[in-house]
Amino acid sequence: MTTFKKLLLAFTVMGASVAAHAADDNFASLTFGQTSDKVKKSNALNANLNNPNADGVIGKDNTWGVRLGQQNSQGRYYATYDNVSGSHNGIKLRQENLLGSYDLFYPVGGSTKLFGGATAGLTKLTQDSPGFSRDSDIGYAVGGQLGVLQQVSQNTSVELGYRYLRSNASTEMSERGGSKQGSLDLTSSAQTYLSANYAF
């Protein structure tokens, strides 16, 4: 079992344990959105691969996620796992996030709330480009999110949100059976998403 899978399992067990003993409402969510990354390239990579556009590798690519948390009338806290992948100019990257977040609610109507909060966790960046050895790294992720939450029924709600994260995950690009060509450093990611939430 990889370190990332162990961490995912730990978050899941922790979330289930907290949910079983707390008085606040528990909720689960499915999210879908689009993510765009900012990627810093090493000088060696620019020289060896003719200055590829790494920012376009994950650029408005579809992102799927799941969340588990607790909420009350003032706010919520939750764990999120999501993933996105993309390819461009011969570079293929996959990004996986395992995050803990807290939001405060700001009611603006009978069934509508604005929300804003902070997020921290881990990001796994994997490089799996054709002709290159697969490589991955786990780094920190820290940032925030904001959006609008609309209550649909007593137990269901939908939301539109935006999340921004800073990260230090880094991966190397080495030719299969050859030499290292350079490195890619994930500096930030921005995601716009829709979420369907169910309280239980």
Side-chain angles (χ1 to χ4, degrees):
M1 184 179 291
T2 66
T3 301
F4 196 73
K5 288 180 181 177
K6 289 178 182 177
L7 289 168
L8 179 59
L9 178 61
F11 264 81
T12 303
V13 171
M14 180 181 69
S17 175
V18 171
H21 295 93
D24 294 342
D25 289 336
N26 305 315
F27 74 92
S29 309
L30 292 175
T31 65
F32 172 75
Q34 291 187 330
T35 297
S36 295
D37 286 346
K38 292 291 184 183
V39 178
K40 181 180 179 182
K41 303 165 291 180
S42 67
N43 292 333
L45 188 72
N46 281 330
N48 291 326
L49 298 184
N50 194 25
N51 199 30
N53 177 16
D55 285 341
V57 178
I58 295 179
K60 296 184 177 179
D61 283 290
N62 291 343
T63 309
W64 297 90
V66 293
R67 303 188 302 191
L68 179 65
Q70 295 178 325
Q71 63 186 4
N72 55 38
S73 59
Q74 287 79 41
R76 63 183 177 179
Y77 57 94
Y78 50 96
T80 302
Y81 168 79
D82 62 30
N83 71 86
V84 59
S85 61
S87 59
H88 184 65
N89 283 350
I91 301 175
K92 182 178 180 181
L93 295 175
R94 180 181 183 87
Q95 177 185 351
E96 297 173 89
N97 298 317
L98 184 59
L99 308 168
S101 304
Y102 181 77
D103 293 333
L104 286 174
F105 293 146
Y106 305 90
V108 293
S111 59
T112 306
K113 301 174 183 176
L114 301 179
F115 67 86
T119 289
L122 301 173
T123 292
K124 181 180 181 182
L125 184 67
T126 301
Q127 178 276 125
D128 196 15
S129 309
F132 292 86
S133 298
R134 189 174 186 270
D135 185 59
S136 64
D137 178 55
I138 296 175
Y140 74 81
V142 61
Q145 62 281 335
L146 52 83
V148 59
L149 178 71
Q150 178 67 46
Q151 200 71 30
V152 177
S153 68
Q154 183 177 354
N155 297 102
T156 59
S157 62
V158 294
E159 69 184 80
L160 172 65
Y162 171 83
R163 186 180 71 202
Y164 177 80
L165 296 173
R166 298 286 297 180
S167 180
N168 67 342
S170 178
T171 184
E172 295 183 349
M173 294 192 68
S174 300
E175 293 178 333
R176 260 191 208 110
S179 60
K180 175 181 173 181
Q181 299 298 298
S183 61
L184 297 166
D185 300 329
L186 176 63
T187 59
S188 67
S189 61
Q191 181 189 114
T192 303
Y193 67 90
L194 289 168
S195 175
N197 313 312
Y198 179 75
F200 56 95

